[in-house]
């Protein structure tokens, strides 16, 4: 059963040209089987003739080039056409005549340049062949020559159709690769934004506060220690993200999850922001993308609180339900803004996109009393 399941994959891995060698051999051997002689393609009505040395040449010219038709399709078609003309003019009518439509299909499928010129040249070469056969043969009608030509053109058309299908599939894969790359770059950019803005904002706020603690050595030492710890956490998180860009890194980098929210809140408190944290329910063991998005919502909201309402009371509420996680972060409007570095406004927009991708709801805005509230409902269970 395992072998049968892997058969299609093995078939795709084998180069197409491998199958042309046995095809050429089978056609070559079958052409010399007595039962098949003079039972091949008949064009022009030239009387049958027993095989001789030229018959071997004609059959060889039609069969052997099929082994290299994938690499040199035009050369293959030219040799097969010469062999076919010799086969019909001499009256051998061998089974090897089957190679002509096969060669035409290959050229239509494989030729990327000068397709029109190639078609015109071989079409023009068909005219003198038809004239010669009409003189040597029993005088078939022009309609029969036209019908045979249209059959050959049909084989060429099938090859062109196959080539167009491959080109369309290649273009689709190229666009999909570009879209995937762009989405991955956007995702990594969001992760970098969340990590850098949160940690750097906390370091800036802590450093600004340290300027006023020179008279209190113990508090100054605590603040500087907090700055150092925040910097180390930033370096760790950045290394984990940059591992995503390293093709030789075989271990999946750790990602923040809901269980680390309390640690995130503690770091924000050490930066001078009073935060009340409430968590209801039990985080799922496998929350998928919902856990990471919930973490990022709280992280971005606390970062904005440090930036624009430093020192103001902030409330974080996280509720875990069976199929979703709800997050609400509210910050009073009274606070010092002297230590807030400028923001680009991309953080909340990025959070909205994250939540929308999972099919959730996101809102952020100022409410009654000057409170700024960030709310997010995140469906749980998505593994990606």
């Amino acid at each position: 059963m395992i072998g049968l399941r892997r058969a299609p994959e093995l078939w795709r891995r084998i180069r197409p040209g491998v199958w042309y060698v046995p095809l050429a051999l089978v056609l070559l051997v079958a052409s010399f089987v007595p039962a098949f002689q003079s039972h091949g393609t008949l064009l022009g009505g030239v009387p049958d003739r027993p095989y001789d040395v030229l018959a071997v040449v004609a059959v060889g010219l039609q069969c052997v080039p099929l082994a290299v038709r994938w690499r040199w399709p035009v050369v293959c078609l030219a040799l097969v056409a010469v062999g076919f003309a010799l086969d019909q003019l001499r009256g051998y009518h061998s089974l090897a005549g089957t190679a002509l439509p096969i060669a035409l299909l290959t050229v239509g499928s494989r030729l990327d340049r000068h397709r029109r010129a190639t078609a015109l040249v071989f079409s023009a070469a068909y005219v003198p062949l038809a004239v010669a056969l009409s003189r040597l043969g029993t005088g078939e009608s022009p309609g029969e020559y036209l019908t045979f030509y249209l059959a050959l053109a049909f084989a060429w058309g099938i090859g062109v159709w196959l080539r167009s299908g491959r080109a369309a599939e290649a273009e689709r894969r190229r666009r999909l690769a570009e879209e995937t790359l762009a989405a991955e770059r956007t995702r990594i950019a969001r992760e970098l934004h969340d990590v850098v803005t949160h940690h750097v904002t906390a370091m800036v706020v802590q450093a600004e506060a340290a300027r006023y603690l020179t008279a209190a050595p113990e508090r100054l030492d605590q603040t500087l220690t907090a700055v150092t710890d925040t910097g180390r956490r930033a370096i760790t998180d950045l290394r984990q993200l940059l591992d995503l860009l390293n093709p030789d890194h075989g271990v999946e980098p750790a990602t923040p999850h809901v269980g680390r929210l309390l640690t995130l809140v503690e770091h924000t408190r050490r930066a001078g922001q009073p935060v009340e944290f409430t968590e209801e329910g039990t985080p799922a063991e496998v929350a998928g993308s919902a856990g990471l998005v919930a973490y990022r919502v709280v992280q971005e909201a606390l970062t904005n609180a440090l930036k624009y309402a430093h020192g103001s009371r902030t409330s974080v509420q996280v509720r875990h339900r069976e199929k979703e996680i709800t997050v609400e972060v509210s910050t009073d409007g009274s606070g010092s803004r002297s230590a807030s570095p400028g923001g680009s406004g991309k953080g909340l927009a990025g959070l909205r996109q994250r939540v929308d991708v999972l099919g959730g709801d996101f809102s952020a805005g100022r409410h009654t009393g000057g409170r700024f509230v960030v709310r997010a409902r995140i469906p749980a269970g998505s593994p990606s």
Side-chain angles (χ1 to χ4, degrees):
M1 292 295 294
I2 297 177
L4 293 177
R5 292 177 181 176
R6 296 186 60 184
E9 181 181 354
L10 294 175
W11 179 275
R12 288 192 297 268
R13 289 183 178 180
I14 297 177
R15 291 179 59 85
V18 173
W19 304 109
Y20 300 158
V21 175
L23 174 64
L25 290 176
V26 169
L27 196 57
L28 180 65
V29 173
S31 298
F32 291 103
V33 175
F36 294 150
Q37 291 181 7
S38 300
H39 287 79
T41 304
L42 174 60
L43 179 64
V46 176
D48 291 339
R49 177 186 301 226
Y51 281 14
D52 53 17
V53 176
L54 285 179
V56 176
V57 174
V59 172
L61 285 174
Q62 294 177 90
C63 297
V64 175
L66 292 181
V68 296
R69 71 188 183 109
W70 190 259
R71 178 169 296 183
W72 298 296
V74 177
V75 175
C76 170
L77 177 59
L79 294 175
V80 171
V82 171
F84 179 82
L86 181 61
D87 184 289
Q88 298 302 313
L89 290 172
R90 295 284 294 176
Y92 302 127
H93 305 140
S94 66
L95 192 64
T98 311
L100 183 59
I102 296 176
L104 282 167
L105 187 148
T106 303
V107 172
S109 173
R110 294 290 299 168
L111 195 60
D112 294 326
R113 300 169 58 186
H114 309 300
R115 292 190 303 274
R116 184 174 301 178
T118 303
L120 291 175
V121 168
F122 282 95
S123 297
Y126 179 74
V127 176
L129 174 63
V131 172
L133 288 174
S134 65
R135 292 182 178 180
L136 296 174
T138 57
E140 291 188 359
S141 65
E144 293 177 346
Y145 290 105
L146 178 61
T147 301
F148 186 76
Y149 176 81
L150 292 177
L152 297 180
F154 180 72
W156 174 285
I158 293 177
V160 172
W161 175 72
L162 292 174
R163 179 185 176 278
S164 300
R166 288 201 311 270
E169 177 64 17
E171 178 65 17
R172 186 191 68 82
R173 291 183 178 181
R174 184 188 64 82
R175 291 182 179 179
L176 179 62
E178 291 180 352
E179 293 173 358
T180 303
L181 179 60
E184 186 67 11
R185 286 177 174 175
T186 302
R187 187 184 70 83
I188 293 175
R190 289 174 184 167
E191 295 290 331
L192 287 172
H193 171 273
D194 293 341
V195 170
V196 172
T197 54
H198 176 76
H199 291 306
V200 173
T201 298
M203 292 173 66
V204 170
V205 171
Q206 291 164 347
E208 287 290 333
R211 302 165 68 184
Y212 304 98
L213 297 177
T214 55
E218 294 182 358
R219 294 183 58 191
L220 177 60
D221 182 70
Q222 293 177 357
T223 301
L224 294 178
T225 301
V227 173
T228 302
D229 293 341
T230 303
R232 288 172 178 166
R233 288 192 298 273
I235 292 174
T236 300
D237 289 347
L238 286 175
R239 283 176 177 171
Q240 292 174 351
L241 286 176
L242 293 177
D243 280 340
L244 291 172
L245 304 178
N246 183 5
D248 297 328
H249 193 272
V251 180
E252 182 70 18
T255 55
H257 51 82
V258 179
R260 288 180 53 187
L261 284 176
L262 184 58
T263 303
L264 178 63
V265 170
E266 287 296 331
H267 292 165
T268 307
R269 288 171 178 167
R270 294 179 64 181
Q273 190 76 7
V275 181
E276 297 178 2
F277 179 62
T278 303
E279 189 172 18
E280 299 178 4
T282 303
E285 294 183 1
V286 182
S289 299
L292 174 60
V293 173
Y295 183 93
R296 293 305 186 198
V297 169
V298 176
Q299 186 181 54
E300 179 65 21
L302 292 179
T303 300
N304 288 338
L306 284 172
K307 284 183 180 180
Y308 306 115
H310 182 225
S312 298
R313 187 177 64 87
T314 301
S315 173
V316 177
Q317 296 180 354
V318 180
R319 297 180 178 88
H320 301 278
R321 295 186 173 90
E322 182 179 356
K323 296 184 177 180
E324 66 180 21
I325 303 173
T326 59
V327 177
E328 179 176 318
V329 182
S330 63
T331 305
D332 293 344
S334 59
S336 172
R337 302 175 65 167
S338 59
S340 68
S344 63
K346 296 181 179 180
L348 294 178
L351 291 180
R352 187 182 304 277
Q353 293 176 0
R354 288 174 183 263
V355 176
D356 288 344
V357 165
L358 297 183
D361 301 318
F362 180 84
S363 64
R366 198 163 293 280
H367 288 240
T368 305
R371 293 186 311 118
F372 192 86
V373 181
V374 176
R375 291 192 180 98
R377 182 189 64 82
I378 310 162
S382 174
S384 60

